[in-house]
Amino acid sequence: MRLRWTIALAFVALALLQVAVVVPLALRNLSRLLSQQQEARVDQMMVAVEAESQRLRDDVRTAMDELSQSQTLEDVVRDAAKVPPPPHVTTAAVALMQPRGLDVLAVLDDEGRTLSSGHLPARLGEPDDPLFAVTKSPGRQVVPRSVELSSPSGLVEVPALVTARAVDSGERRVWVVGGVLLGEARASALARLTGARVEVHAKDRLVTAAGERPAHPVRRAVPFGAVAEVRLAFSGADLVATRAEVLRAFVALAALGLVLAIAAGVFISRRVTRPVEALTEAANRIAAGTPGVKVPTADASGELKALIETFNRMTDDLKSATDRLVASERIAAWQEVARRLAHEIKNPLTPIRMSLETLLAASQRGPADARFMRLFEESAGAVLEEVDRLKRIVDEFSQFARLPRPVLSPLSVSELAQQVMSLYAPHDGLTYVVELTPGLEVQGDRDQLTQVLVNLVKNAEEAMAPLGGGPVTVRTSAEGDEVVLEVSDRGPGIPEALRARLFEPYVTSKPQGTGLGLAIAQRIAEEHGGSLRADEAPGGGACFRLSLPRLPAR
């Protein structure tokens, strides 16, 4: 992976890490804060509920205190001893209850029998034990009690807040027990006050309810002794909606932060890596053979700028050293070529000189005779042979120097080998074995590759000629992404001393050879993007392997 993308991905990973750590922590803290605020609002509502409950108790206490001191009640108590009780006594509870906002009112004698009842007139003369038990409460406490009421289905128990007052007339004591019901009216009032759903339960039985059922409720309960429990369900929809809104905001911010991190990472990585990439490109160009490449310092600063300046100085020094080395190698190469060419030319000049000196000496002895003519013919033949040898040396050297660039086109190596080898027939003990694999195509110059194959076959023939012949094997095959053309023989093989320098000009083991054939073949192979290698053949002898890049199958 490129350094630029590594740095950009590091920025993105850092942004993701921050989002993964900060966002959940912030959401958790914010959720806790919102929950605390919700709890605080509910607690405030519960304070209001407690205040309403206390106000209700105070109203009951005030109403009963006022009632116990009224003249009407004194008249009822005074006439309650009459037998039978007069009508105004039996109906007094209703008249006394309604003006004072009471839902429950019963006038009881000192044995608990009902003298008058405003909430259950039918109980006249019967004992009312639950209400009479209130008379045993100390002081003037308002206590919760279950009160029986008449309904279409019969008597039902409804919780109420009641208190008792004693009224004496002479030696006779009468009890007045009154209060308010914890019923539909009180539930509706609490629902309007708090905005919650209010349910009144008595002994795990729903007595009444008011208000809509809220979404995501937050529940509270207010007990009224063992008689009843008022349950409130406050809406948590606002909390959930706020959480969702905050979550959306955090997600949007996180996405924006991630986009900004990516943009910043790409921008910064480009600024940071541009000099490094320029250095890498310059190093690759130098490695590819382009010395003196310089990297601009405009985009760099600090240590990178110092590094680039040092690199530029090194490339200048390297170019100077390379130029000197190339010049030295060129001079050395031409010296070697001149030395070898002089050696090759000097060899034929010696017999030419000797032949001419012999002719000159013979001509100085007198007129031309038969012996002179015989010497002339022999010397002329030797001179012509050596002149031909000089011409051959000059032609091969000229061919090596003027080898043209290859003209590349799709070419089947096996078809080319088949066409070339069809020109060879067995002779002088030499045979030809051709093993071709079809469908092996390369980008090649037909004439130059033909020249390579002919040269390799010729070398194989010359290697086996002193041994009386043998098989020359030509084989094509595919090895990975390369096409391989092999030419092998059963000759004496390649001398160890020549193997390392086999493809250099004028390196040869043949008495009459110049060594330019293999040098030309290797140059052709390299200009085709391939290589030429010499190995030992499996059965003895030499094996030359020409490897070329293979074209994909069409």
Side-chain angles (χ1 to χ4, degrees):
M1 183 181 294
R2 297 180 63 183
L3 179 61
R4 174 180 299 182
W5 294 116
T6 301
I7 296 176
L9 288 177
F11 269 86
V12 174
L14 182 60
L16 288 175
L17 180 61
Q18 291 177 345
V19 170
V21 173
V22 174
V23 170
L25 183 62
L27 287 177
R28 185 179 65 184
N29 292 337
L30 184 60
S31 179
R32 185 187 300 116
L33 178 60
L34 292 175
S35 297
Q36 291 174 352
Q37 292 178 349
Q38 176 78 5
E39 292 291 330
R41 286 196 296 268
V42 171
D43 290 342
Q44 290 176 355
M45 290 298 178
M46 292 305 297
V47 171
V49 171
E50 292 291 344
E52 178 67 14
S53 175
Q54 187 60 43
R55 185 193 64 79
L56 201 58
R57 294 171 188 269
D58 292 342
D59 289 346
V60 171
R61 187 179 297 108
T62 301
M64 291 299 293
D65 288 342
E66 179 188 347
L67 179 61
S68 63
Q69 297 173 6
S70 67
Q71 184 61 44
T72 305
L73 183 58
E74 289 182 4
D75 294 341
V76 170
V77 172
R78 184 184 62 247
D79 295 338
K82 295 179 181 181
V83 180
H88 75 90
V89 174
T90 58
T91 60
V94 176
L96 294 171
M97 177 181 69
Q98 292 178 350
R100 292 169 175 80
L102 299 175
D103 301 322
V104 176
L105 186 63
V107 181
L108 307 175
D109 62 16
D110 54 2
E111 294 181 358
R113 287 190 296 270
T114 303
L115 301 176
S116 179
S117 177
H119 60 281
L120 190 59
R123 180 157 283 176
L124 189 64
E126 297 179 0
D128 194 335
D129 294 335
L131 289 185
F132 188 65
V134 179
T135 62
K136 304 298 189 292
S137 299
R140 297 182 301 168
Q141 291 183 356
V142 179
V143 296
R145 284 292 183 272
S146 291
V147 178
E148 290 185 336
L149 297 179
S150 178
S151 72
S153 60
L155 294 178
V156 295
E157 290 186 352
V158 178
L161 293 177
V162 296
T163 186
R165 297 292 183 271
V167 181
D168 295 327
S169 177
E171 296 180 357
R172 184 177 178 82
R173 167 165 287 192
V174 175
W175 292 93
V176 181
V177 182
V180 294
L181 294 173
L182 298 178
E184 183 178 354
R186 307 302 170 192
S188 298
L190 279 179
R192 288 192 300 271
L193 175 66
T194 60
R197 177 173 175 81
V198 180
E199 295 179 351
V200 180
H201 290 261
K203 299 178 181 179
D204 297 328
R205 175 177 59 87
L206 178 62
V207 176
T208 186
E212 297 293 332
R213 293 184 179 274
H216 311 287
V218 179
R219 303 185 185 278
R220 291 289 189 275
V222 179
F224 286 85
V227 175
E229 183 179 67
V230 177
R231 301 175 185 176
L232 299 97
F234 297 92
S235 174
D238 292 342
L239 175 62
V240 174
T242 304
R243 283 178 178 170
E245 187 67 26
V246 170
L247 178 60
R248 286 193 293 270
F250 267 103
V251 170
L253 288 175
L256 178 61
L258 185 60
V259 171
L260 292 177
I262 293 174
V266 172
F267 176 75
I268 294 175
S269 64
R270 288 184 62 186
R271 289 294 301 272
V272 172
T273 60
R274 188 180 292 122
V276 178
E277 291 174 352
L279 277 172
T280 303
E281 182 181 358
N284 290 334
R285 290 177 61 188
I286 291 173
T290 308
V293 179
K294 290 189 176 182
V295 179
T297 60
D299 296 331
S301 61
E303 291 82 356
L304 273 178
K305 186 174 182 180
L307 175 62
I308 292 175
E309 291 174 348
T310 303
F311 178 84
N312 289 337
R313 288 195 297 270
M314 290 175 60
T315 56
D316 288 340
D317 296 342
L318 179 63
K319 185 176 185 302
S320 300
T322 302
D323 291 342
R324 290 193 297 269
L325 179 61
V326 169
S328 300
E329 289 179 349
R330 187 181 296 113
I331 293 172
W334 279 110
Q335 287 176 342
E336 178 68 14
V337 170
R339 185 183 67 80
R340 291 183 179 275
L341 188 59
H343 177 74
E344 294 293 336
I345 294 176
K346 181 180 179 181
N347 287 338
L349 287 179
T350 299
I352 290 175
R353 180 182 179 87
M354 292 178 62
S355 298
L356 290 176
E357 288 177 347
T358 301
L359 289 176
L360 182 62
S363 66
Q364 291 176 352
R365 285 195 297 268
D369 54 9
R371 180 174 176 274
F372 176 82
M373 294 305 297
R374 180 174 55 79
L375 289 174
F376 181 80
E377 290 178 358
E378 292 178 355
S379 298
V383 168
L384 289 176
E385 182 179 352
E386 297 302 325
V387 168
D388 288 340
R389 182 179 175 189
L390 284 173
K391 182 176 182 299
R392 186 170 64 253
I393 292 172
V394 172
D395 289 342
E396 289 185 359
F397 182 79
S398 176
Q399 182 184 12
F400 178 73
R402 296 199 311 267
L403 185 66
R405 299 285 296 178
V407 180
L408 303 179
S409 62
L411 174 68
S412 172
V413 176
S414 297
E415 291 180 3
L416 181 143
Q418 181 66 46
Q419 293 173 1
V420 171
M421 297 310 298
S422 64
L423 303 177
Y424 289 85
H427 64 93
D428 300 330
L430 293 171
T431 60
Y432 301 92
V433 179
V434 181
E435 300 175 358
L436 305 178
T437 301
L440 304 179
E441 287 197 342
V442 299
Q443 281 289 110
D445 186 310
R446 176 177 291 274
D447 292 338
Q448 291 189 5
L449 293 181
T450 299
Q451 180 181 355
V452 172
L453 178 58
V454 169
N455 188 287
L456 296 179
V457 173
K458 179 182 177 183
N459 285 349
E461 292 176 338
E462 292 176 350
M464 291 189 296
L467 304 179
V472 176
T473 302
V474 177
R475 181 183 297 108
T476 61
S477 62
E479 293 184 3
D481 295 334
E482 292 185 334
V483 174
V484 178
L485 172 64
E486 292 183 359
V487 178
S488 58
D489 58 60
R490 295 290 180 85
I494 303 170
E496 187 68 29
L498 296 180
R499 187 165 298 173
R501 305 176 59 233
L502 186 62
F503 296 102
E504 294 181 9
Y506 301 109
V507 175
T508 180
S509 60
K510 303 173 186 176
Q512 302 299 323
T514 62
L516 290 175
L518 288 178
I520 293 173
Q522 187 190 46
R523 181 173 169 185
I524 291 174
E526 291 175 348
E527 291 188 351
H528 279 73
S531 63
L532 180 62
R533 190 173 76 247
D535 297 320
E536 290 187 4
C543 176
F544 287 86
R545 291 169 53 89
L546 173 65
S547 300
L548 299 172
R550 182 180 182 182
L551 284 179
R554 290 181 292 179

